[in-house]
């Protein structure tokens, strides 16, 4: 899709801390519907001991596009948390800001669709043992606990709305169990493209590339399409090459390989960092991909003359601090 708001909105950028954030739990496991029609099926999913059951309301299961609301909320909360401000599960949002930040148009129909999204999010019930903040409990909850329109315009559109997130999702924010997404995520039109990007962003954060079988990807995506139809859709994605930040290619053995679009090649003699340093980097830049930052630093080190470092760990953290100060 086109970037509908290329000039941005200063208030949104301020609140957004310049980057959208997503929680790890819903990135890893299929919770949201990929259907463009009301999906009233109960989804049951199990993988490596994690179980999820998603029960829709009469309006259908919350969709991957409805998730934009949660990403917006998580991003606001993380911006406040990183700024040292108090946060709570209840947020008051300006509907216009939400539409602009998630690359939606601001016509009257968009406000109506936004209301429908709130209703699906509140009506969809989750029962899961997926831990957040290292707390594993089997519980049932809505994706959002409640919502209400606080103020309307003279024409009846929602101007501001109050949203209360589930305790499960709020714990993910407090524990900083989130990852930064590309802003181009909101330009992906097809639900499957969004879901595949989430999975790749989650798994490539720990390694330079990710190989996965089509069957496993089919299961983790939550797609209801037959495997052969799903495989054909993946081939169309490879041809379109719309996936932000990542290359996607098919390999023998019914495998799909994902790699970073700006993957840094292995640099011989590059300094090695300790795991505790990467842990400190995560604290300095919550939600950032520390492995990508490490690769970027090594590339910078090589390009600036391969200077001998007394302490690579201190040098990396100093570079990271300077990078963060530049924004």
């Amino acid at each position: 899709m086109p970037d509908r708001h290329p000039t941005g909105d200063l208030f949104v950028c301020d609140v957004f801390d310049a980057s959208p954030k997503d929680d790890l739990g819903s990135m890893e496991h299929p919770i949201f519907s990929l259907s463009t029609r009301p999906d009233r099926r109960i989804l049951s999913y199990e993988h490596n001991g994690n179980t999820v059951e998603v029960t829709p309301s009469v309006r259908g299961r919350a969709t991957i596009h409805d998730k934009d609301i949660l990403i917006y909320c998580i991003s606001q909360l993380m911006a406040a948390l990183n700024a040292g401000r108090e946060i709570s599960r209840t947020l008051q949002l300006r509907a216009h800001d939400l539409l602009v930040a998630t690359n939606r148009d601001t016509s009257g129909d968009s406000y109506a669709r936004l209301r429908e999204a709130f209703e699906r999010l509140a009506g969809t019930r989750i029962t899961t043992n997926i831990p957040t903040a290292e707390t594993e409990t089997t519980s049932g909850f809505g994706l959002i606990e409640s919502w209400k329109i606080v103020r309307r315009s003279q024409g009846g559109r929602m101007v501001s709305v109050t949203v209360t997130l589930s305790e499960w999702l709020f714990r993910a924010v407090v524990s900083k169990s989130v990852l930064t997404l590309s802003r181009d995520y909101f330009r992906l039109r097809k639900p499957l493209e969004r879901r595949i990007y989430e999975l790749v962003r989650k798994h490539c954060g720990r390694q330079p590339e990710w190989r996965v079988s089509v069957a496993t990807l089919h299961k983790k995506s939550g797609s209801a399409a037959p495997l052969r139809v799903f495989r054909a859709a993946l081939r169309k994605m490879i041809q379109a090459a719309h996936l932000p930040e990542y290359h996607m290619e098919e390999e023998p053995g019914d495998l799909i390989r994902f790699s970073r679009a700006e993957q840094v090649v292995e640099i011989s003699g590059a300094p090695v960092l300790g795991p505790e340093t990467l842990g400190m980097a995560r604290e300095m830049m919550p939600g950032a991909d520390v492995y990508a930052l490490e690769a970027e630093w090594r590339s910078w080190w090589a390009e600036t003359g391969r200077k001998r470092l007394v302490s690579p760990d201190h040098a990396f953290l100093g570079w990271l601090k300077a990078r963060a100060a530049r924004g």
Side-chain angles (χ1 to χ4, degrees):
M1 290 189 290
D3 184 350
R4 292 194 172 99
H5 311 282
T7 57
D9 183 308
L10 294 177
F11 176 75
V12 172
C13 290
D14 247 355
V15 173
F16 237 54
D17 201 21
S19 57
K21 305 279 195 297
D22 198 356
D23 72 288
L24 295 177
S26 67
M27 291 177 76
E28 171 73 13
H29 306 286
I31 292 176
F32 296 87
S33 173
L34 304 183
S35 176
T36 55
R37 298 179 179 180
D39 187 348
R40 299 185 178 90
R41 296 166 302 160
I42 296 176
L43 179 142
S44 295
Y45 170 86
E46 190 278 329
H47 189 74
N48 292 339
N50 292 309
T51 61
V52 180
E53 184 174 273
V54 187
T55 305
S57 69
V58 294
R59 297 184 180 277
R61 183 152 54 106
T63 71
I64 195 76
H65 287 280
D66 297 341
K67 190 182 182 182
D68 290 356
I69 294 171
L70 301 185
I71 293 173
Y72 181 80
C73 291
I74 291 169
S75 305
Q76 282 201 357
L77 292 174
M78 285 303 301
L81 198 62
N82 291 336
R85 300 197 296 271
E86 291 290 327
I87 63 173
S88 72
R89 287 197 295 139
T90 301
L91 303 83
Q92 185 165 324
L93 314 173
R94 286 178 55 200
H96 176 267
D97 293 340
L98 194 160
L99 293 172
V100 170
T102 55
N103 197 42
R104 302 186 183 203
D105 65 56
T106 53
S107 66
D109 286 346
S110 293
Y111 287 87
R113 288 193 294 270
L114 195 58
R115 174 173 181 148
E116 292 168 0
F118 279 118
E119 290 174 343
R120 282 190 296 267
L121 287 168
T124 300
R125 303 295 300 177
I126 313 294
T127 303
T128 184
N129 68 342
I130 298 173
T132 55
E134 300 182 357
T135 300
E136 180 180 329
T137 57
T138 299
S139 58
F141 50 87
L143 288 166
I144 59 176
E145 187 173 294
S146 63
W147 70 280
K148 65 178 179 180
I149 297 175
V150 179
R151 189 160 60 91
R152 294 180 184 271
S153 67
Q154 289 183 350
R157 294 182 185 177
M158 68 170 73
V159 175
S160 63
V161 59
T162 296
V163 184
T164 300
L165 301 181
S166 67
E167 187 67 49
W168 181 80
L169 190 59
F170 187 67
R171 280 203 308 267
V173 173
V174 172
S175 65
K176 298 184 178 180
S177 300
V178 302
L179 282 177
T180 302
L181 303 180
S182 166
R183 277 201 178 278
D184 285 338
Y185 169 83
F186 296 119
R187 297 178 64 191
L188 296 175
R189 185 187 305 276
K190 297 180 180 179
L192 184 60
E193 290 178 333
R194 290 188 170 211
R195 180 65 187 135
I196 295 298
Y197 173 78
E198 282 190 323
L199 287 167
V200 180
R201 178 68 186 89
K202 169 70 169 56
H203 288 278
C204 275
R206 295 183 177 274
Q207 50 197 354
E209 61 182 31
W210 182 43
R211 280 184 176 85
V212 60
S213 70
V214 172
T216 299
L217 195 59
H218 180 251
K219 178 183 178 181
K220 293 177 76 68
S221 73
S223 172
L227 187 60
R228 60 177 178 80
V229 176
F230 178 77
R231 186 183 293 108
L234 292 179
R235 287 170 177 163
K236 288 181 180 178
M237 286 180 60
I238 292 171
Q239 187 175 10
H242 287 161
L243 213 62
E245 302 177 317
Y246 298 100
H247 288 307
M248 179 181 178
E249 58 185 297
E250 188 174 11
E251 293 192 339
D254 210 23
L255 298 174
I256 301 294
R257 175 180 176 269
F258 299 94
S259 59
R260 293 193 188 95
E262 298 179 359
Q263 181 63 41
V264 179
V265 297
E266 190 65 28
I267 300 171
S268 61
V272 178
L273 302 179
E276 66 281 355
T277 301
L278 295 179
M280 294 173 68
R282 288 190 187 92
E283 294 180 3
M284 290 173 64
M285 301 189 72
D289 184 341
V290 295
Y291 299 95
L293 290 171
E294 180 187 20
E296 184 182 338
W297 172 71
R298 285 177 172 173
S299 179
W300 172 83
W301 170 82
E303 292 170 358
T304 54
R306 297 172 175 260
K307 181 181 178 181
R308 183 179 178 276
L309 302 175
V310 176
S311 172
D313 299 285
H314 288 160
F316 171 67
L317 293 175
W319 173 86
L320 199 61
K321 185 176 181 180
R323 186 183 185 279
R326 292 195 303 269

